[in-house]
Amino acid sequence: MRVLGIETSCDETGVALYETGRGLLGHCLHSQIDLHAVYGGVVPELASRDHIRRLPLLLRELLAKTGTTLADVDAVAYTAGPGLAGALLVGSAFAESLALALDLPVLPVHHLEGHLLSPLLSATPPAFPFVALLVSGGHTQLMRVTGVGDYHLLGETVDDAAGEAFDKTAKLLGLGYPGGPALATLAQAGRPGRFRLPRPMLHSKDFDFSFSGLKTAVLNAASAPDFTDADKADLAAEFQEAVVDVLVAKSLAALRHTGLRQLVVAGGVGANRRLRDQLDGAAARRKATVFYPELALCTDNGAMIAFAGALRFAAGAPGRTGDGAFAVRPRWSLQEIGTPV
Ligand code: KG4
Ligand code: ZN
């Protein structure tokens, strides 16, 4: 089965074709970074308009790149949530209209399920069950994953998500948008430990996180009158270290708690080099293995949506026949994935 995947939940437009039994045939991505950079963050209305402009072009590019035509597509999957309402509606309208015109089944997909399953697309995929650390711009969750659709929440952030903490701290330090990668780059030039930041909830004996206090601590340190550019790199390094320390400790505790030896990391923060190095080292000491999506598939993309859709169809999801109706769910927790969109 060839599934066309469509992702428009935030500031990336992504399309992809996944074929059951063969794998990912190709994917195309357009990032809106340049569009939003001048505003210092994502402007939802501009995001929606740009998705409208890009989707037909990206689809044409994908078909050319994979040597396919629309007649070769068997089903359509699209991100129905969570995300920006207007941006989601663009992807939904596009996918549902295509399905109606081509008389294909269409399936709304949960964005976080896409992230969660994306490491299964790699050359050496994990096998169920595994522990998943989902670290994106909007979510930070530890889960026990038993199979497609079977996600048991172990713990999550009580305030800011890890990516959100990176973005907000980057803004405080004047690094602009998108903050996470910029902060990580600056951290490479700094020394952790010169400034001392808290490791929130490190010893809370549960799997919950809290990152909002870190930015206040960063703001206090950066407000010192003699704060220099060299200090900024050291502070960035310490901030990154604090987030990484907590994510690593809780992920390892989750492995211990579940008795599992496979950890899957998904979501944009999973691209962070320091996080990967520290997780790999800590897991190896416990004879556990960490699985990541390919770097290009860590942040938002259409491939993970086509793939999650294909797995859902393979597991018996009927999909809707394209009836021209479309719906999105901007707020949609992964634990409510069984309830209809
Ligand atoms: O998964 P994603 O693309 O979008 C959401 O679904 O939220 O994640 C984006 C988040 C942003 O907060 C971004 O700053 C963060 O991932 N991010 C990083 C890095 N690359 C992306 N954070 C830290 N280090 C990175 N290298
Ligand atoms: Zn995402």
Side-chain angles (χ1 to χ4, degrees):
M1 177 182 235
R2 277 195 190 152
V3 181
L4 170 68
I6 292 171
E7 157 65 34
T8 62
S9 67
C10 188
D11 55 353
E12 326 266 357
T13 320
V15 296
L17 262 182
Y18 180 87
E19 184 175 329
T20 313
R22 271 185 73 191
L24 187 64
L25 304 184
H27 78 113
C28 297
L29 194 67
H30 175 78
S31 165
Q32 300 179 350
I33 284 179
D34 293 346
L35 178 68
H36 301 296
V38 280
Y39 303 98
V42 178
V43 183
E45 177 60 25
L46 294 183
S48 310
R49 292 186 201 180
D50 201 60
H51 287 310
I52 292 175
R53 267 196 299 271
R54 299 288 170 182
L55 267 179
L57 304 176
L58 278 181
L59 178 59
R60 214 172 292 158
E61 186 187 327
L62 177 73
L63 294 176
K65 191 166 144 178
T66 54
T68 49
T69 67
L70 284 177
D72 302 317
V73 176
D74 299 310
V76 184
Y78 67 93
T79 304
L84 301 171
L88 290 167
L89 278 168
V90 174
S92 167
F94 192 81
E96 296 278 355
S97 314
L98 258 183
L100 179 65
L102 300 171
D103 197 20
L104 296 176
V106 58
L107 196 68
V109 168
H110 195 294
H111 180 79
L112 298 181
E113 180 171 58
H115 275 304
L116 195 62
L117 299 176
S118 61
L120 297 174
L121 269 172
S122 64
T124 48
F128 297 116
F130 51 76
V131 170
L133 172 68
L134 185 64
V135 269
S136 69
H139 296 81
T140 299
Q141 298 187 326
L142 270 166
M143 275 168 284
R144 185 184 197 285
V145 177
T146 314
V148 176
D150 199 350
Y151 312 128
H152 172 73
L153 185 70
L154 299 169
E156 64 184 332
T157 183
V158 297
D159 42 53
D160 289 353
E164 188 179 1
F166 265 89
D167 294 337
K168 287 179 174 172
T169 302
K171 204 165 193 175
L172 280 177
L173 295 176
L175 302 179
Y177 155 92
L183 186 60
T185 303
L186 181 64
Q188 279 176 357
R191 278 173 303 160
R194 243 201 76 220
F195 291 92
R196 235 6 239 171
L197 295 177
R199 269 55 177 167
M201 296 186 78
L202 186 62
H203 302 295
S204 62
K205 296 203 166 31
D206 54 24
F207 304 106
D208 289 340
F209 304 88
S210 166
F211 293 115
S212 77
L214 269 178
K215 63 177 186 292
T216 316
V218 166
L219 185 62
N220 286 340
S223 304
D226 51 352
F227 189 75
T228 65
D229 272 355
D231 291 340
K232 201 189 261 191
D234 289 341
L235 187 54
E238 173 67 4
F239 167 82
Q240 176 173 263
E241 206 67 9
V243 174
V244 166
D245 279 353
V246 181
L247 291 176
V248 170
K250 300 254 171 172
S251 300
L252 269 285
L255 285 176
R256 263 193 308 278
H257 172 78
T258 55
L260 298 174
R261 288 178 183 275
Q262 298 181 103
L263 175 69
V264 158
V265 181
V269 184
N272 187 275
R273 195 66 260 167
R274 184 70 181 158
L275 176 64
R276 288 183 172 219
D277 289 346
Q278 296 298 93
L279 270 180
D280 288 344
R285 287 191 284 282
R286 276 208 81 238
K287 304 216 172 345
T289 313
V290 193
F291 298 85
Y292 306 92
E294 277 175 40
L295 213 49
L297 302 185
C298 267
T299 45
D300 294 346
N301 62 83
M304 66 184 194
I305 303 305
F307 179 58
L311 290 182
R312 284 269 169 190
F313 279 119
R320 287 208 307 272
T321 42
D323 56 6
F326 50 90
V328 295
R329 201 154 161 189
R331 288 180 164 272
W332 186 13
S333 105
L334 198 52
Q335 281 61 54
E336 297 169 319
I337 197 165
T339 58
V341 175

